[in-house]
Amino acid sequence: MATSGTVAFNLDLNNIVEEAFERCGQELRSGYDMRTARRSLNLLTIEWANRGINLWTIEQGVIPMVQAQICYALPIDTIDLMDMVIRTQTGISQSDININRISSSTYSTIPNKNAQGRPIQVWIDRQTGDTNTTSITLNGAVTSTATTITLSSVVGLNYVGFIKVDNETIGYNQISGNVLQSCVRGVDNSTAASHTSGTAVSVRNLPNICVWPSPDQSNFYTFAYWRLRRIQDAGNGVNTEDIPFRMLPCMAAGLAYYLSLKIPGAEQRIQMLKTFYEEQWTLGSSEDREKASLRLAPRQYFY
């Protein structure tokens, strides 16, 4: 007999939820059933991020480095960076050089964070991406190209960080008095714009990197990285989930276990569904791993 000839099987959100309810011995009947399942599914994918590396969420990125700029924003859905290098030049002249990851305590003890050279160390500041309101306002109008911004106060601001004014996110690298200096305009896919005096200023807690020394020239160094991003939200009923096909059994099993904790009448299935979920996680995570040979080598430093 002829086979189907296709390998396109997938489950949208509705089908995953229906499968999970059936494993709980229940039926999906109401809009609230779908809403509570969607909430549980989002919590489930966050749990997966906490369990370790999900290979399908690794993405590459580059950040052009600017002379004297210390801090650079990462995409807001970044969980952590796996690997990173400093890339010099391009094309056949390109060279990727190790950069050492350091802790916040190590970075804090660097005496002169404004020193310039080729970056050899990086601190990854794993912020939440939230925006916090403040009582701070602009003390003077700001043009779309200004690199210094005067505020009514700097209480509560980090020495290096990001603010939001209207719809623009602005990075800054120094504070002198109430003046933000070495500002970088239009961060996080926003657009540089003019702002009037008295406009409210919020704090953006963007995930970011701080390098040392800061670059000693522009258009020469590039920070190349491989990051772990968040799994996308469950969405509505018609979209498929942000997972590879091999993780579908694990997602259905995990959602069934989560729902059994909430659905009246499914209590007797909790232990069975939890055991099956852990088995499916072991199978899926064992397949979702690097299969290259492990090679250990001393880290080399270039000065």
Side-chain angles (χ1 to χ4, degrees):
M1 297 178 65
T3 60
S4 67
T6 63
V7 287
F9 174 78
N10 206 335
L11 295 177
D12 61 23
L13 177 61
N14 282 330
N15 285 321
I16 292 175
V17 172
E18 286 178 353
E19 176 70 17
F21 266 91
E22 289 169 359
R23 294 185 184 194
C24 292
Q26 306 289 326
E27 292 183 5
L28 175 64
R29 293 184 176 180
S30 68
Y32 179 78
D33 287 343
M34 176 59 74
R35 187 170 66 183
T36 190
R38 187 184 296 114
R39 182 170 63 246
S40 292
L41 194 57
N42 284 325
L43 291 172
L44 177 67
T45 55
I46 293 172
E47 178 204 318
W48 287 8
N50 291 334
R51 281 179 178 250
I53 297 171
N54 300 310
L55 290 185
W56 75 90
T57 64
I58 295 178
E59 292 182 347
Q60 298 183 35
V62 294
I63 302 175
M65 311 204 82
V66 179
Q67 184 175 2
Q69 183 176 337
I70 299 171
C71 190
Y72 300 82
L74 293 168
I76 197 170
D77 62 341
T78 299
I79 296 176
D80 201 358
L81 299 189
M82 302 296 298
D83 292 291
M84 63 225 75
V85 295
I86 290 294
R87 180 168 296 162
T88 60
Q89 307 185 62
T90 58
I92 61 174
S93 300
Q94 174 180 306
S95 179
D96 287 352
I97 305 172
N98 291 333
I99 183 169
N100 188 38
R101 179 172 181 170
I102 60 175
S103 66
S104 59
S105 58
T106 300
Y107 181 76
S108 67
T109 60
I110 295 175
N112 182 7
K113 297 176 177 60
N114 295 312
Q116 295 186 22
R118 179 181 60 77
I120 60 173
Q121 294 182 321
V122 59
W123 169 45
I124 302 170
D125 191 6
R126 299 173 60 188
Q127 292 293 316
T128 61
D130 294 336
T131 301
N132 296 334
T133 58
T134 68
S135 59
I136 301 172
T137 59
L138 295 180
N139 186 9
V142 177
T143 66
S144 61
T145 58
T147 57
T148 60
I149 297 175
T150 304
L151 304 179
S152 61
S153 169
V154 294
V155 175
L157 296 185
N158 293 327
Y159 182 72
V160 176
F162 304 90
I163 61 171
K164 185 174 183 181
V165 183
D166 293 325
N167 293 321
E168 181 188 1
T169 299
I170 302 171
Y172 61 92
N173 287 275
Q174 295 181 45
I175 296 179
S176 177
N178 284 351
V179 180
L180 307 183
Q181 299 181 331
S182 302
C183 295
V184 182
R185 307 300 299 274
V187 175
D188 192 32
N189 297 316
S190 62
T191 301
S194 300
H195 308 284
T196 59
S197 181
T199 302
V201 175
S202 302
V203 175
R204 289 297 312 275
N205 298 313
L206 294 176
N208 63 88
I209 59 167
C210 294
V211 296
W212 185 87
S214 62
D216 57 2
Q217 55 186 307
S218 299
N219 303 317
F220 184 76
Y221 301 116
T222 300
F223 184 83
Y225 61 85
W226 289 259
R227 73 183 182 107
L228 281 176
R229 63 165 176 82
R230 286 184 58 172
I231 300 173
Q232 295 176 15
D233 297 339
N236 54 40
V238 298
N239 56 270
T240 56
E241 298 308 296
D242 181 28
I243 61 171
F245 75 95
R246 59 182 176 272
M247 295 299 292
L248 281 172
C250 183
M251 176 166 280
L255 181 57
Y257 165 58
Y258 271 46
L259 290 175
S260 69
L261 300 173
K262 302 189 291 185
I263 298 175
E267 299 90 346
Q268 68 274 15
R269 299 190 180 214
I270 290 177
Q271 190 57 50
M272 176 192 70
L273 291 172
K274 181 180 180 180
T275 300
F276 187 64
Y277 168 45
E278 293 297 339
E279 290 176 355
Q280 290 300 314
W281 170 260
T282 300
L283 291 173
S285 60
S286 297
E287 172 59 24
D288 190 63
R289 62 180 175 83
E290 292 279 10
K291 295 181 172 62
S293 300
L294 177 64
R295 174 177 173 269
L296 301 177
R299 178 178 287 273
Q300 300 179 26
Y301 294 89
F302 299 86
Y303 295 93

